[in-house]
Amino acid sequence: MRPSGTEPGDFVEFDYDLVEAERRQRIREVLHRVRPEMEQEIGSALEVSNDGNDLVLIADGEIRFRAALAPDGRVIVTDMRSGGHL
């Protein structure tokens, strides 16, 4: 983010809630795109849901995968059963 049209010493405000909402939306879009492949791989239906500020994929009523956005913009999906990253 870069503020534009400001002078040195100006106070610039960023809407952190909007930044977080955009982050969650980017993760949600990726999860919806890869969900069919993941369902096929694990042999179970997955549902995209919120868990606090995190986005998760739920299988058989429990959180199976947790998703986060890396600083470089990649989505990291963690398999909660194995503890490894995909």
Side-chain angles (χ1 to χ4, degrees), residues 6-84:
T6 59
E7 298 294 324
D10 284 354
F11 180 75
V12 178
E13 237 181 276
F14 292 106
D15 186 344
Y16 186 71
D17 291 333
L18 180 61
V19 171
E20 282 296 302
E22 288 174 355
R23 177 190 68 84
R24 280 191 301 274
Q25 184 59 36
R26 288 175 53 199
I27 294 171
R28 186 177 301 280
E29 289 168 2
V30 170
L31 292 179
H32 279 293
R33 191 172 62 238
V34 300
R35 188 180 70 199
E37 293 173 40
M38 293 176 72
E39 288 174 337
Q40 191 173 32
E41 185 175 320
I42 68 168
S44 183
L46 292 167
E47 173 189 341
V48 178
S49 186
N50 293 330
D51 182 37
N53 285 330
D54 294 334
L55 283 164
V56 294
L57 289 165
I58 297 175
D60 303 322
E62 64 182 42
I63 295 174
R64 175 65 193 268
F65 300 98
R66 186 172 298 279
L69 194 61
D72 65 359
R74 294 177 301 126
V75 173
I76 299 173
V77 178
T78 303
D79 184 343
M80 300 309 290
R81 289 191 184 162
S82 71

